[in-house]
């Protein structure tokens, strides 16, 4: 009713086993329902890039080395972005899914938004403890990266001040105690292996992101938008073990890709409440100058956020956040939109918990 026709929502259950055809019945039913509600709808599905539901356990059993493993030895629920199997099957999954959408809902598709990694926002983690990167897939790709950079193992030994490696296959991921840092700077004389691994993490994440974006764009066509969560350069600068732990610092490579139209991220969690300013997670002018658009994911907690919800901002000690009303919810949304208009950013509202945070015609 407000004239907003672009709609985005998460889509899972579309990843089929390698030799099986996916089942799109539930997706087709959902899309048909939305088109019936609004014939002018323009859909940008957020594609959750991991084997899900019926295939998840089977995929995990077949590919135990392709899941992220932390320094404590425990595997996580996330598939390792370094996994060649994941990358190739992911591209095939995207091509099949997008082909289905373009065949059956061509007039209502606006673009596609592949998401993976932690929180489906293409980062390894944010707590910094335990450290990630100890799965077999990461180790194998790490050794390939080192060979590409140094060429000869002698060069690697010289750089690492290590004369004992006989081949690149002996190189290991730096131990957790080496990666634990207590300051912002690493000394190349003593920590070149950690510096290299930090650079590798950025390239590894970018390789996966760019591969999926290319598969999506080539299948969807030039008239479809491809969106990616990436480039949280400001937000991740204060991670406990350093910014590199995120994997979001290959921005120059990502913004040069002809297969990506929009980079996106939530509005900063550090500066978003009533009485504050609202800032972006990334260097949005750098992204704009590269010919891409930055989109804010505005997941502002409004006065409709339940008080017993852990996301409710009334639980914060700061007095400016304690009392959330309809009036100051409107002011916050208006302030955010003003910032986005001035900086030529896009914006969507994100009801993070699916609890109708924005279900008010006045908003």
């Amino acid at each position: 009713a407000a004239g907003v026709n672009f709609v985005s929502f998460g889509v899972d259950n579309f990843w089929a086993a390698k030799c099986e055809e996916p089942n799109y019945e539930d997706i087709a039913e959902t899309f048909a329902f939305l088109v019936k509600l609004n014939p002018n709808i323009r859909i940008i599905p957020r594609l959750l890039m991991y084997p899900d539901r019926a295939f998840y356990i089977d995929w995990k059993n077949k590919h135990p080395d392709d899941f992220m493993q932390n320094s404590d030895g425990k595997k996580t629920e996330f598939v390792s972005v370094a996994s060649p199997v994941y990358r190739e099957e992911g591209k095939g999954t995207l091509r099949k899914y997008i082909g289905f959408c373009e065949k059956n809902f061509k007039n209502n598709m606006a673009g596609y938004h592949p998401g993976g990694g932690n929180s489906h926002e293409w980062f390894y983690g944010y707590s910094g403890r335990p450290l990630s990167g100890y799965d077999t897939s990461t180790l194998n790709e790490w050794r390939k990266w080192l060979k590409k950079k140094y060429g000869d193992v002698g060069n690697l030994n010289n750089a690492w001040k290590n004369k004992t490696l006989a081949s690149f296959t002996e190189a290991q991921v730096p131990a957790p105690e080496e990666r634990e840092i207590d300051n912002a700077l690493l000394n190349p004389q003593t920590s070149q292996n950690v510096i290299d691994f930090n650079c590798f993490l950025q390239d590894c994440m970018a390789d996966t992101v760019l591969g999926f974006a290319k598969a999506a764009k080539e299948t969807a066509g030039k008239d479809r938008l491809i969106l990616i969560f990436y480039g949280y350069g400001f937000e991740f600068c204060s991670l406990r073990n350093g910014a590199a732990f995120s994997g979001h610092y290959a921005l120059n490579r990502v913004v040069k890709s002809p297969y990506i139209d929009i980079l996106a991220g939530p509005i900063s969690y550090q500066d978003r409440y009533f009485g504050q300013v609202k800032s972006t997670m990334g260097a949005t002018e750098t992204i704009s100058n590269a010919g891409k658009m930055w989109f804010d994911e505005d997941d502002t907690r409004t006065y409709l956020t339940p008080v017993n919800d852990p996301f409710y901002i009334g639980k914060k000690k700061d007095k400016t956040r304690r009392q959330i009303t309809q009036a100051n919810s409107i002011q916050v949304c208006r302030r955010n939109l003003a910032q986005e208009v001035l900086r030529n950013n896009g914006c969507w509202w994100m009801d993070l918990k699916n609890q109708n945070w924005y279900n008010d015609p006045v908003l």
Side-chain angles (χ1 to χ4, degrees):
V4 178
N5 293 318
F6 286 89
V7 175
S8 178
F9 49 87
V11 173
D12 57 11
N13 196 31
F14 66 96
W15 188 301
K18 190 172 183 180
C19 298
E20 298 182 30
E21 284 301 313
N23 186 340
Y24 295 135
E25 289 180 5
D26 56 341
I27 296 171
E29 185 177 346
T30 300
F31 280 26
F33 175 72
L34 294 171
V35 171
K36 184 177 180 180
L37 284 177
N38 178 10
N40 295 318
I41 194 171
R42 296 294 179 265
I43 302 171
I44 305 177
R46 183 182 301 189
L47 307 177
L48 310 186
M49 296 299 297
Y50 60 91
D52 192 50
R53 296 186 189 175
F55 297 108
Y56 183 82
I57 300 300
D58 181 58
W59 204 92
K60 193 170 186 177
N61 290 336
K62 289 180 179 177
H63 307 288
D65 293 333
D66 293 281
F67 279 76
M68 289 176 65
Q69 180 172 312
N70 290 331
S71 52
D72 59 3
K74 295 180 180 178
K75 288 188 176 358
T76 75
E77 63 182 295
F78 298 107
V79 180
S80 173
V81 297
S83 164
V85 176
Y86 169 65
R87 290 175 177 177
E88 287 309 306
E89 286 197 20
K91 292 173 189 175
T93 295
L94 277 173
R95 293 186 184 105
K96 287 183 178 180
Y97 175 83
I98 293 173
F100 173 84
C101 293
E102 293 297 325
K103 179 181 178 181
N104 294 279
F105 300 96
K106 184 174 183 178
N107 294 332
N108 295 101
M109 302 307 301
Y112 301 90
H113 187 175
N118 199 316
S119 190
H120 306 112
E121 294 173 75
W122 299 119
F123 57 87
Y124 298 102
Y126 46 79
S127 67
R129 185 181 286 142
L131 292 160
S132 65
Y134 293 91
D135 52 88
T136 303
S137 293
T138 297
L139 177 61
N140 291 337
E141 292 302 307
W142 162 232
R143 289 168 173 169
K144 292 177 185 177
W145 187 93
L146 288 173
K147 187 172 183 179
K148 182 179 179 180
K149 176 178 179 178
Y150 288 104
D152 182 84
V153 71
N155 297 329
L156 175 63
N157 283 325
N158 289 334
W160 286 10
K161 306 296 184 286
N162 185 338
K163 307 298 183 184
T164 62
L165 296 180
S167 70
F168 288 102
T169 58
E170 295 182 7
Q172 300 295 325
V173 172
E177 55 270 23
E178 295 180 278
R179 296 171 64 190
E180 292 277 357
I181 61 173
D182 55 8
N183 56 62
L185 298 177
L186 290 168
N187 184 351
Q189 296 300 314
T190 57
S191 302
Q192 185 59 46
N193 63 329
V194 179
I195 294 171
D196 279 341
F197 189 70
N198 285 343
C199 292
F200 157 76
L201 288 175
Q202 318 316 306
D203 280 340
C204 182
M205 185 65 76
D207 287 343
T208 301
V209 166
L210 294 173
F212 285 163
K214 184 175 187 288
K217 192 71 167 183
E218 288 180 343
T219 308
K222 64 179 181 179
D223 295 330
R224 295 289 184 260
L225 300 168
I226 302 301
L227 295 75
I228 297 289
F229 283 127
Y230 197 81
Y232 302 3
F234 297 152
E235 197 76 3
F236 283 155
C237 67
S238 60
L239 292 184
R240 190 186 69 83
N241 262 313
F245 183 74
S246 67
H248 267 233
Y249 290 85
L251 181 62
N252 195 44
R253 285 186 60 199
V254 172
V255 295
K256 287 181 178 178
S257 170
Y259 306 109
I260 296 174
D261 303 290
I262 292 172
L263 295 183
I267 62 175
S268 174
Y269 285 99
Q270 311 303 321
D271 183 26
R272 59 157 57 194
Y273 298 104
F274 181 72
Q276 295 183 329
V277 176
K278 185 269 175 193
S279 54
T280 59
M281 285 194 174
T284 52
E285 279 71 25
T286 295
I287 293 164
S288 298
N289 289 342
K292 312 298 181 186
M293 194 174 194
W294 175 269
F295 246 75
D296 281 330
E297 177 170 271
D298 189 345
D299 55 348
T300 292
R301 284 65 163 148
T302 72
Y303 78 100
L304 293 172
T305 306
V307 176
N308 62 353
D309 191 293
F311 287 99
Y312 181 68
I313 43 183
K315 288 188 176 182
K316 302 290 184 180
K317 294 180 180 180
D318 188 336
K319 292 180 180 179
T320 63
R321 308 178 197 177
R322 191 169 295 161
Q323 199 68 33
I324 306 303
T325 66
Q326 184 193 61
N328 57 34
S329 291
I330 290 171
Q331 288 193 13
V332 168
C333 290
R334 185 174 294 155
R335 175 205 66 194
N336 294 354
L337 184 60
Q339 290 273 24
E340 287 142 2
V341 169
L342 287 168
R343 304 177 72 185
N344 199 31
N345 300 153
C347 173
W348 66 71
W349 279 353
M350 172 66 163
D351 180 4
L352 184 60
K353 302 286 285 185
N354 298 318
Q355 293 177 334
N356 293 312
W357 290 358
Y358 294 91
N359 190 19
D360 179 354
V362 176
L363 284 181

